[in-house]
Amino acid sequence: MFKTLHLLSLYTLCIAFLVGLSLSAFAKSPGFEPEKEVLVPVEGGKVYVRVDGEKQTHRAPVIFIHGGPGGTHNGFIGMTDLADERMVIMYDQLDSGKSEQPNNPKNWRVARFVESLETIRKHLGVEQWHLVGQSWGAALALEYSAKYPQHTMSTVLGGTFISTPHWIMDANLLVKAAPQEVQETLRQCESSQPPQAAQCYAAYTKLYSPYYTPNKISNEIAAYQDSVGGNGFNPLIYNAMWGPSEFSSTGVLKHYDATHLLAELDPLKTLFMIGQYDSARIDTVQNYVALTPGAELAVVPGGAHGFYDDRPLVTLALLRSWLRRKDAQ
């Protein structure tokens, strides 16, 4: 425990300067209107793609891959500040957000999601890019980087989900450590008659840590998320591929495990990134790092699984530093 806390303190000190560099630009951001939006045909339908900083060609582009399955790009919107030095690509996976929603179970295959990324790369004319995956998006980033190393500048495995058995094991540990009333609420939340969403959210939050306090997101980010349009999160694909909650898997991904693909990555181009109070437990992620000798680990102080919203300035600073370093290699 002491070693982990000491490591987190070191990260806090090391990123303080980087946060200061990013703070003024982020605070003065005029808004999050996209520079370019396109619908890209992929297997099964068309996916929404947002591009910012298209004229920034002196650094490799970065694509952000959201979680879910069934999530949207919305949570990444604060990272558009990176467009001051490189192309920033965000997209909604098929069946969610502003993408088409055929809701055809035949499309709910990991390989198809991976090939959608490759189709987006080709459509945009990008030769190499950085991949930043979050949660379920980390699994897609890992799968893509293992299959297409020639197009991968670096890989960020954020909120690291790459193995359902490992994730559920960690979830069980979190649940068992929670107060009895929280455990009971969680059981009710996964029943056929769950309580109100706010009550379930509060229970899930308590699982992270008694010390975790979510940040209120900025007015600009909230305004974007309210006005972005599309169909938002799709619970149908989430339930079919994952299950009733973050802590229970009953769907297509129930036995998913891509841990073996870590051996296919270039470890010097791999970053594991989690929140201090992430449901991706640091002990498990450190095991992933050990399987990828030379890879790096970043811990976002005070952040939980949604650290892009929880701690956007720290996250932006960490990513900016990482991407610049990997550009130069």
Side-chain angles (χ1 to χ4, degrees), residues 144-218:
Y144 180 95
S145 299
K147 186 172 182 179
Y148 296 106
Q150 71 275 26
H151 298 305
T152 302
M153 183 71 74
S154 76
T155 308
V156 179
L157 304 176
T160 316
F161 164 73
I162 58 173
S163 167
T164 301
H166 291 162
W167 187 274
I168 296 301
M169 177 183 67
D170 284 352
N172 289 336
L173 289 173
L174 289 171
V175 171
K176 287 181 180 179
Q180 191 61 42
E181 63 270 21
V182 172
Q183 295 187 39
E184 180 57 33
T185 300
L186 290 174
R187 280 192 287 270
Q188 294 174 7
C189 290
E190 296 187 6
S191 70
S192 58
Q193 295 182 322
Q196 293 184 348
Q199 187 176 347
C200 292
Y201 174 76
Y204 290 132
T205 300
K206 287 292 184 183
L207 283 178
Y208 293 128
S209 167
Y211 306 106
Y212 167 66
T213 53
N215 266 14
K216 182 178 180 181
I217 63 176
S218 74

Side-chain angles (χ1 to χ4, degrees), residues 195-252:
Q196 293 184 348
Q199 187 176 347
C200 292
Y201 174 76
Y204 290 132
T205 300
K206 287 292 184 183
L207 283 178
Y208 293 128
S209 167
Y211 306 106
Y212 167 66
T213 53
N215 266 14
K216 182 178 180 181
I217 63 176
S218 74
N219 291 335
E220 286 183 334
I221 292 177
Y224 178 82
Q225 295 182 350
D226 288 341
S227 64
V228 65
N231 294 312
F233 171 76
N234 186 348
L236 180 64
I237 185 173
Y238 181 84
N239 289 328
M241 291 196 69
W242 179 252
S245 79
E246 182 179 355
F247 302 94
S248 180
S249 182
T250 57
V252 173

Side-chain angles (χ1 to χ4, degrees), residues 80-96:
T80 54
D81 270 35
L82 294 169
D84 64 356
E85 62 182 29
R86 70 181 71 246
M87 184 192 298
V88 176
I89 306 161
M90 300 178 183
Y91 78 111
D92 290 332
Q93 294 159 22
L94 192 68
D95 290 320
S96 65

Side-chain angles (χ1 to χ4, degrees), residues 272 284-295:
F272 295 86
T284 297
V285 177
Q286 284 178 321
N287 290 335
Y288 295 151
V289 175
L291 292 173
T292 321

